[in-house]
Structure formats: C-alpha cells, structure tokens
C-alpha cells in the first residue's frame, strides 16, 4: 500500500463535494470527485453522497462516513482504520485491499461490494448486508459479523480468526479453501455453503452435519 497522500483544505473539500453532487444530478458544470491518494483523516463526510467517487489509496482513518452513500465508489487500498461507516450504502463499492482495523460498518449495505484481500481487525460488521460480496482472500480477525447477511458471498481463501458469526446468513456462500479458526458460528445459516477444503478448528460452535456441500447436497 502506498501511504503517500496529498493534503486538502476544508474549503477545497467542500468544493469537491459540491461539484460531485452537481455531477450526480446531471449538471454539466459538475465533476466526479477524485479524492484518490488524499489525506482525509478524521474528515466529516457523514450523510454525504459520494457514489462513483474515486477515493482509492485515500487516508480515511477516523473519518465519519456514517450513513454516507458510496455506491460504486472506488475505495481500493484505502486506509479506513477506525472510520465510522455505520449504516453507509456501499453497494458495488470497491474496497479491495483496504485496511479496516477497528472500523464501524454496523448495518452497512455492502451488497455486491469488492472486498478481496481487505484487511479487517476488530471490525464491526454487525447486521451488515454483504450479499454477493467478494471477500476472496480477505482477513477477518476478531470481526463482528453477528446477524450479518453473507448469502452468496465469495469467501474463498479468506481467513476468519476469532470472528463472531453468530446468526450470520452464509446461505450458498463459497468458503472454498477458507480458514475458520476459533470463531463463533452458532445459529448461522449455512444451507448450500461450499466447504470444499475449508479448514476449521477449535471453537467453531456449529454442527458440521447440518452443512451441505454444493458438490454433494445429500451428504451429512
């Protein structure tokens, strides 16, 4: 990850947000926001609409983006440590390779989001909607996915260590070659989940006999 970022004043940020809203509204005087490689540490972006914006490699550590709309935004390789994105709309957003240590995404909509190789530590995804999300090779350490919807999500080669997936919906999720260690999966929905070469050990508290493989749907 390239940690070099450019500074932006509050006045310039306000101008970028104004022009972006005009762009979203179809105003020819508008311009899609390019905040890539920008230092937005602790920025107040709660409730703003940055759908389609380029925020790749941005430093958003500690930023407030609660209930922001970031559909199809490019946040790849962004630093989102301790960012507040509770209730944010991130449908189809690209968060691949991002760092989300201690970030808050409780209740966030991450439907169809790209999270491949994302690094999460103590991240709050409680009740998040991750249906059809791409979490290939993601790191999910001490992550709270209680009541999260991961239906049809691609978790192949992902590593979930000490994750809380209590009551999570993993229906038809792909966990091929994933590692799930010391994690809570009691009352999780795993109907149709693909567990080919999925490695699980220790305190994974659910009954494997209830889980079906897509390759052998009748096997218990």
């Amino acid at each position: 990850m390239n940690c070099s970022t450019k500074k932006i004043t509050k006045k310039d940020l306000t101008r970028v947000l104004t022009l972006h809203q005009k762009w979203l509204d179809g105003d020819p005087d508008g311009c899609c926001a390019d905040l890539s490689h920008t230092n937005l540490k602790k920025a107040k972006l709660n409730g703003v609409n940055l759908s389609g914006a380029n925020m790749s490699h941005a430093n958003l550590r500690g930023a407030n983006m609660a209930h922001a709309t970031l559909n199809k935004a490019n946040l790849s390789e962004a630093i989102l440590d301790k960012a507040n994105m509770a209730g944010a709309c991130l449908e189809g957003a690209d968060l691949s390779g991002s760092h989300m240590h201690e970030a808050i995404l409780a209740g966030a909509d991450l439907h169809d989001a790209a999270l491949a190789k994302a690094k999460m530590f103590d991240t709050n995804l409680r009740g998040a909607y991750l249906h059809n999300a791409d979490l290939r090779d993601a790191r999910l350490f001490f992550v709270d996915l209680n009541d999260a919807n991961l239906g049809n999500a691609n978790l192949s080669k992902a590593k979930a260590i000490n994750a809380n997936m209590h009551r999570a919906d993993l229906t038809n999720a792909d966990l091929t070659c994933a590692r799930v260690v010391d994690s809570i999966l009691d009352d999780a929905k795993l109907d149709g989940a693909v567990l080919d070469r999925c490695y699980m050990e220790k305190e994974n508290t659910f009954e494997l006999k209830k889980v079906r493989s897509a390759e052998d749907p009748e096997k218990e």
Side-chain angles (χ1 to χ4, degrees):
M1 174 177 287
N2 184 355
C3 295
S4 177
T5 54
K6 58 191 177 185
K7 295 181 180 179
I8 187 169
T9 64
K10 289 183 179 180
K11 181 179 179 180
D12 286 342
L13 179 57
T14 299
R15 181 175 179 275
V16 169
L17 295 176
T18 299
L19 288 173
H20 187 77
Q21 187 57 57
K22 287 184 177 182
W23 177 74
L24 289 171
D25 294 339
D27 189 327
D29 292 329
C31 181
C32 181
D34 183 358
L35 293 163
S36 59
H37 297 274
T38 302
N39 186 353
L40 294 163
K41 185 176 179 180
K42 295 184 178 180
K44 295 180 180 179
L45 298 168
N46 47 306
V48 303
N49 189 341
L50 278 165
S51 293
N54 183 2
M55 303 170 79
S56 63
H57 297 87
N59 182 356
L60 287 149
R61 181 180 176 86
N64 184 358
M65 293 181 281
H67 302 287
T69 303
L70 295 153
N71 297 330
K72 296 184 179 180
N74 183 356
L75 288 149
S76 60
E77 301 286 338
I79 299 173
L80 294 157
D81 299 343
K82 297 186 177 181
N84 181 2
M85 292 180 279
C89 294
L90 291 142
E91 183 176 349
D94 184 357
L95 292 136
S96 56
S98 60
H99 283 225
M100 290 186 275
H101 296 189
E102 299 182 51
I104 301 172
L105 291 106
D109 183 357
L110 290 145
H111 181 220
D112 286 328
L115 291 147
K117 296 186 178 181
K119 297 172 180 63
M120 305 181 210
F121 184 91
D122 199 20
T123 305
N124 184 349
L125 283 155
R126 182 177 287 255
Y129 188 62
L130 290 143
H131 186 83
N132 208 44
D134 182 1
L135 287 146
R136 286 174 296 169
D137 206 21
R139 299 296 179 264
L140 305 166
F141 298 164
F142 297 91
V143 170
D144 187 356
L145 284 158
N146 196 332
D147 287 315
N149 187 326
L150 290 146
N152 286 353
N154 188 345
L155 289 146
S156 59
K157 296 184 179 180
K159 291 182 175 64
I161 313 294
N162 288 107
N164 179 4
M165 290 183 269
H166 177 57
R167 293 196 304 266
D169 187 350
L170 289 148
T171 303
N172 296 322
D174 186 356
L175 289 113
T176 302
C177 296
R179 293 177 63 88
V180 184
V181 180
D182 289 337
S183 296
I184 299 170
L185 288 116
D186 55 312
D187 296 320
K189 296 179 182 178
L190 286 142
D191 297 318
V194 179
L195 298 172
D196 184 30
R197 289 170 289 168
C198 177
Y199 176 78
M200 298 187 179
E201 71 171 22
K202 295 185 180 180
E203 299 176 8
N204 297 302
T205 57
F206 71 102
E207 296 181 47
L208 277 170
K209 67 180 182 180
K210 294 182 179 178
V211 183
R212 300 183 195 180
S213 167
E215 296 179 358
D216 191 1
E218 300 302 323
K219 185 177 180 180
E220 290 189 352

